[in-house]
Amino acid sequence: MRMKAIRLGMALWLAAPLAWSAERSWLERLCEELSPPLRRSNQRLEEIAAELTRLPVPTGISSTPAQCFATNPSLPGGEAHWLEVTLRQPELIDTVVLVPAVFTGFGNAISGFGFPRRFKIEADAGEGTPPWILVDQNSASMPNPGIFPVSLSLATPRPVKRLRLHATLPWQADSISLLALSELMLLSGNRNVAIGARVDASSYQDGAISMRRANLVDMRTTLGLPAVAHPGASRGYHSRDEVKVNTPKTLTLTLAASAVLDEIRLIPVTREGMPSYANYGFPRRLRVEAAMEPDFRDARKLLLTPPPYGDPPGRNIFIVAGDGQAARYLRITAVALWPHVEFYRFALAEVQAYAGDANVALGAKVSATDPGDEPGWNVAALTDGDAYEQKLVELPEWFRQIERLRELMAEQARAMRQHNSLLHTTQEHLIRGSSGAAALVMVSASLALWRQKRRYRRDRERLKERLARDLHDDIGSNLASISLLCNIVTQHPGVAANHLHDFAEIQHIATESAESMRDMITLLNPKSGSGDWLEVLQQLAERRLPGIDVRLERSGKEIQSGPNLETRRELYLFCKEALANIARHARATVVDFKILLTQEELCLELHDNGIGFDPAKPSAGYGLSNLRQRANQMGAEHAITSSPGKGTTIRLRLKQDHRWQNH
């Protein structure tokens, strides 16, 4: 027993360094070494975590104003809730997919909003044909699916013209009941043939865009794009920036052979850092044409969206009906470009064209009136199966992978409970079997305290990052929406001339506020290196001095320390004040902005060739005093040199002291 205790003590000391190099504590690792079941449990958890990273994850939010379809609320025991989808013609259906709604309102997000607890689905092949029951979920209540779709596969595909869902036990909350879905899909092979179908219901709210009937069959869901993460995937197409919104941009696809088209899919760019509804580069107005002749003299117009385009796809596929048109060539024209600050752009991640189950546009040749000059984007990426650093998958495979995600998450929860139980049991046996239990408790407590502090620091940094993301996605999105709305209003011919200036001013303020907020997020990001936050200062100079030649000069190598977060903020505001003074008073044509960062200090110098001023004379404004106050706040040395007709030079030197920290 004594030798066993000695060996245990040695094992404890040998295992202690592991606590510094891994997420799991040394005690957990020791228990795994002593317990094969615990080791197998941990291995399975690692396998699950690895597989989860390869599966698509539903976004769980509506990225468009069209959130879902919902019947009118009624009191329990009142009106029965049902909905019915009628196709234009019978289609051979193999799968019915019910996508739950995630309703966002009053500051809350309700997953599985309106999804019936018990229901029955009937279908028929058309007038005069007997209905048949697809699903009868009446024997037991169904758990709330949350954000996960419910896929109901038919044993044998059957022709369907009309499908009706009866909520025999509807969703209830706060003494009301209703029926709601984000989308109802009828899959025939790789296509959702329910798009644009007629929808009837026991009651409806077509006056509200967020819950109208058309939302049920518009392919706008809470799931996001049918794609999975794929390192090395291409981005898509990106045009040059234009100064006029109505500068046309045209893409032309040449298919490998003529085909009878059922639908064309335009995949929007889901660029990281953009709000989910912003639809980076997706045109406000577009036209889609199909033809057999390369010069499009026999072109048939499949779509022309009305101006301004008010129903963007968000993070969803934009579907254009092919109407059975035979075509060899497709032409997509951005009639009105997407606005971004003061420029206009056109961008798409992928173009697909379906003839039956096949995407006949895959690998098609693409040409453009504007090939674009943005690095990492090209027209060939429009038909390669990728969508902005993701790999697109067909709808049936997408739903299979989402179902696998749901199964794995449930298995992960069970495995974690089992793992924790095994770990607790093994730790108890370990402590009881050791004569050095007291020492073990002391060491464990010390390491637990260290681990708790380490986790607290990590959680604090994660909280900062999350708050920054929330600030960007929420307030940034609102400011972007204000800017976009002002832009749309000023394009409307009915706006009075005396209001145009006001809307333009609101747009300018919203845009500037959004840019400043993004600057602050980068500056205050604890993971930002010196290159990140110094880049913000450079971009600030270019943005605040439009029409002035800004010559930037930055020297010094990347170093491991720099000013802390509060000092970075003061530096940013100091530069912003100085640049504002130049823009308002200097009448300069050239500004030299120098940044020197060394191990000992940070030096900034701003020199303009403007009219200058006499520093000895009293200043009418607060610009110079604000600069002096901010320099004092940082403990920095600053100097302002100027004379009439010879421009102005502003210098700031910030020495390394307690205000500096490691990156």
Side-chain angles (χ1 to χ4, degrees):
M1 182 66 184
R2 185 176 179 182
M3 289 301 298
K4 181 178 180 181
I6 293 173
R7 287 196 299 271
L8 175 61
M10 292 178 64
L12 291 176
W13 284 110
L14 289 172
L18 295 175
W20 296 92
S21 60
E23 186 66 26
R24 299 192 306 280
S25 70
W26 63 270
L27 184 56
E28 291 177 44
R29 287 181 170 271
L30 178 61
C31 289
E32 288 173 12
E33 291 298 323
L34 299 176
S35 171
L38 188 61
R39 192 161 58 249
R40 289 192 296 270
S41 172
N42 183 68
Q43 181 180 359
R44 179 55 188 154
L45 282 170
E46 290 178 347
E47 292 170 353
I48 292 174
E51 186 175 354
L52 285 174
T53 62
R54 299 190 293 269
L55 295 173
V57 179
T59 61
I61 60 171
S62 177
S63 55
T64 73
Q67 292 192 24
C68 62
F69 161 75
T71 60
N72 290 322
S74 65
L75 297 175
E79 179 186 16
H81 298 280
W82 57 268
L83 60 85
E84 184 176 271
V85 173
T86 304
L87 307 181
R88 287 184 292 180
Q89 60 188 25
E91 299 279 1
L92 199 61
I93 303 302
D94 52 63
T95 307
V96 177
V97 181
L98 308 178
V99 183
V102 180
F103 178 71
T104 54
F106 309 106
N108 297 315
I110 306 173
S111 300
F113 170 76
F115 199 92
R117 298 177 62 193
R118 298 188 184 187
F119 57 90
K120 180 175 66 174
I121 299 179
E122 296 178 325
D124 64 61
E127 295 295 338
T129 61
W132 48 279
I133 297 177
L134 171 66
V135 174
D136 190 348
Q137 183 69 36
N138 280 315
S139 59
S141 295
M142 186 174 188
N144 187 325
I147 64 173
F148 290 98
V150 177
S151 298
L152 308 167
S153 299
L154 280 63
T156 303
R158 298 186 63 171
V160 172
K161 174 72 183 295
R162 182 169 47 245
L163 180 141
R164 175 177 285 208
L165 185 152
H166 302 266
T168 52
L169 181 58
W171 179 87
Q172 296 180 2
D174 296 332
S175 301
I176 63 169
S177 66
L178 53 82
L179 169 62
L181 287 176
S182 172
E183 190 82 5
L184 189 150
M185 299 188 192
L186 301 179
L187 300 188
S188 177
N190 292 331
R191 294 176 51 237
N192 171 22
V193 296
I195 297 172
R198 192 184 80 200
V199 177
D200 297 297
S202 53
S203 60
Y204 47 85
Q205 310 174 46
D206 278 1
I209 188 174
S210 61
M211 295 186 179
R212 62 191 177 185
R213 284 180 293 171
N215 298 349
L216 188 68
V217 290
D218 61 357
M219 205 58 185
R220 286 155 170 75
T221 74
T222 56
L223 302 177
L225 290 175
V228 295
H230 185 73
S234 64
R235 293 182 173 183
Y237 165 76
H238 190 304
S239 74
R240 293 190 299 266
D241 290 341
E242 300 290 348
V243 296
K244 293 183 178 180
V245 66
N246 57 353
T247 304
K249 305 281 185 181
T250 298
L251 299 170
T252 303
L253 278 70
T254 303
L255 307 181
S258 60
V260 177
L261 301 179
D262 291 300
E263 66 185 33
I264 293 93
R265 301 180 183 177
L266 306 183
I267 312 299
V269 173
T270 56
R271 191 166 188 173
E272 187 175 351
M274 296 294 295
S276 59
Y277 58 82
N279 281 132
Y280 181 87
F282 201 88
R284 289 175 52 199
R285 192 181 186 203
L286 61 88
R287 181 172 61 244
V288 180
E289 301 166 285
M292 291 293 292
E293 300 295 334
D295 59 1
F296 282 81
R297 62 175 177 267
D298 62 338
R300 179 181 175 185
K301 184 167 59 183
L302 301 180
L303 175 75
L304 177 62
T305 57
Y309 182 54
D311 197 13
R315 297 195 172 188
N316 302 285
I317 303 172
F318 183 83
I319 304 290
V320 180
D323 294 334
Q325 174 72 20
R328 176 75 188 280
Y329 304 93
L330 288 174
R331 186 163 63 192
I332 301 163
T333 304
V335 181
L337 305 180
W338 178 77
H340 179 65
V341 192
E342 69 270 25
F343 299 107
Y344 299 91
R345 296 172 178 170
F346 175 31
L348 279 179
E350 184 81 358
V351 178
Q352 299 176 322
Y354 277 81
D357 269 356
N359 172 21
V360 295
L362 190 62
K365 180 182 177 182
V366 185
S367 60
T369 55
D370 170 11
D373 54 7
E374 189 79 8
W377 304 73
N378 58 80
V379 291
L382 281 170
T383 57
D384 62 357
D386 295 343
Y388 196 79
E389 302 173 358
Q390 302 176 92
K391 177 66 69 176
L392 291 166
V393 296
E394 297 290 359
L395 295 180
E397 176 62 21
W398 186 39
F399 289 119
R400 281 193 290 270
Q401 293 198 34
I402 291 179
E403 176 61 20
R404 177 60 178 162
L405 175 74
R406 188 193 63 78
E407 293 172 353
L408 277 179
M409 290 178 67
E411 182 185 352
Q412 185 184 51
R414 294 192 299 269
M416 289 183 69
R417 289 194 295 269
Q418 180 187 28
H419 180 85
N420 291 336
S421 176
L422 285 170
L423 180 62
H424 178 71
T425 301
T426 305
Q427 286 176 344
E428 285 187 340
H429 291 166
L430 187 61
I431 292 174
R432 283 200 300 266
S434 170
S435 60
L440 176 63
V441 171
M442 292 178 63
V443 172
S444 298
S446 300
L447 287 174
L449 180 61
W450 168 83
R451 215 174 148 219
Q452 183 180 12
K453 290 181 177 179
R454 181 167 171 257
R455 184 181 295 115
Y456 172 76
R457 288 194 299 269
R458 185 176 64 248
D459 291 344
R460 185 176 59 187
E461 297 303 324
R462 288 175 179 171
L463 177 61
K464 288 181 182 177
E465 296 173 25
R466 193 184 76 202
L467 289 174
R469 287 196 305 270
D470 291 347
L471 182 66
H472 181 278
D473 290 344
D474 190 7
I475 300 177
S477 299
N478 292 340
L479 290 170
S481 298
I482 292 171
S483 178
L484 179 59
L485 287 173
C486 289
N487 185 281
I488 292 173
V489 169
T490 55
Q491 302 293 328
H492 198 282
V495 178
N498 60 332
H499 292 161
L500 289 176
H501 175 75
D502 294 335
F503 282 116
E505 184 65 16
I506 293 172
Q507 182 184 11
H508 172 75
I509 294 172
T511 301
E512 182 59 31
S513 299
E515 294 288 350
S516 296
M517 185 193 65
R518 280 192 288 271
D519 289 346
M520 281 296 182
I521 290 173
T522 303
L523 282 172
L524 302 182
N525 185 352
K527 294 184 179 180
S528 294
S530 63
D532 294 329
W533 60 268
L534 289 176
E535 188 72 20
V536 168
L537 299 183
Q538 295 182 196
Q539 294 172 358
L540 175 67
E542 295 172 337
R543 196 170 65 248
R544 299 290 289 188
L545 300 175
I548 297 177
D549 182 13
V550 180
R551 299 186 300 205
L552 297 166
E553 180 182 337
R554 199 172 104 193
S555 57
K557 298 181 179 179
E558 178 75 12
I559 60 175
Q560 299 304 313
S561 63
N564 60 22
L565 302 184
E566 179 62 27
T567 307
R568 291 186 197 177
R569 173 181 171 275
E570 292 293 338
L571 277 169
Y572 175 84
L573 296 176
F574 180 94
C575 291
K576 191 172 183 180
E577 182 72 35
L579 293 168
N581 289 340
I582 294 172
R584 285 196 297 261
H585 308 300
R587 303 181 197 171
T589 59
V590 178
V591 172
D592 292 300
F593 187 14
K594 298 180 181 179
I595 303 175
L596 172 63
L597 181 62
T598 70
Q599 294 285 3
E600 293 78 26
E601 63 181 9
L602 169 68
C603 299
L604 297 178
E605 181 179 306
L606 273 164
H607 173 74
D608 67 73
N609 66 345
I611 61 174
F613 66 98
D614 185 357
K617 291 184 178 180
S619 174
Y622 297 96
L624 298 181
S625 62
N626 287 344
L627 291 177
R628 183 168 53 254
Q629 186 175 1
R630 294 204 179 278
N632 293 337
Q633 189 75 17
M634 292 182 281
E637 300 175 8
H638 86 290
I640 300 175
T641 322
S642 182
S643 61
K646 295 185 179 180
T648 302
T649 302
I650 301 173
R651 295 184 180 88
L652 180 82
R653 296 181 63 187
L654 178 64
K655 293 187 178 296
Q656 179 172 341
D657 58 10
H658 65 279
R659 297 179 181 85
W660 285 45
Q661 61 183 13
N662 291 331
H663 292 314

